Amino acid sequence: MAEIIRAIDPDAQAAGNAIQFVIDDIPLFIVADPIADRMRAMVPIRSAEGLATDELMRLMQANFDTALDARYAVAQGRLWGVFIHPLSPLEKDQLLSAFVQTINVARTYGQTYSGGALSYGGGDSNGIYQELLKELQELGEEI
C-alpha cells in the first residue's frame, strides 16, 4: 500500500501505521491496522461544529445511496469522508477506487454528496471521476 501511495505522491509522510499524502490538492490520511485487518482512508471536509439536523440527515441519506463505498463520518470535531475496508483482501484497484471515492465525497459535499465511482445519469460526472481513477492507475502501474 505504501508503494502505491508513494507512486501517487512521492512526498507522502508516514508515521507509525498512518500515512498522509495529497491528490489534486486534497489531503488524504490512511491508517492501516494489520492486527485488526482494517484500513481507513480519510479526507477532512469541515468542522462538525454547526452541522444542522437537516444537513446531518442529508449526510445519512448520502451514506445510503450516493456516497457508494465511501461514507460521511464525524470524529474529533470534524466531518470526514472515509472509506473503511478489510486490509488483507484489499487489491490495488480497490485501494485506488477508495481514494477516488473518498476525495469525491469531500468534493461533492454540499452538492451531490457522491462517491462518484458510479453514475447512473447521462451527465459529465462519471467521465471526470473515471479520468481521476485512470490517472491514479497509471501512476501505480509498475507496482
Side-chain angles (χ1 to χ4, degrees), residues 47-60:
S47 170
E49 187 175 330
L51 279 171
T53 302
D54 60 338
E55 177 71 6
L56 289 169
M57 180 63 78
R58 182 64 190 100
L59 294 170
M60 293 299 97

Side-chain angles (χ1 to χ4, degrees), residues 44-89:
I45 298 173
R46 60 161 280 188
S47 170
E49 187 175 330
L51 279 171
T53 302
D54 60 338
E55 177 71 6
L56 289 169
M57 180 63 78
R58 182 64 190 100
L59 294 170
M60 293 299 97
Q61 290 169 331
N63 281 348
F64 186 80
D65 57 13
T66 57
L68 303 174
D69 297 322
R71 296 287 180 260
Y72 291 99
V74 174
Q76 302 172 352
R78 297 207 54 81
L79 174 64
W80 298 84
V82 298
F83 182 101
I84 302 168
H85 195 279
L87 185 58
S88 61

Side-chain angles (χ1 to χ4, degrees), residues 16 40 89 92 101 122 124 132:
R40 180 175 296 174
K92 181 177 75 171
Q101 289 183 54
D124 299 326
L132 177 57

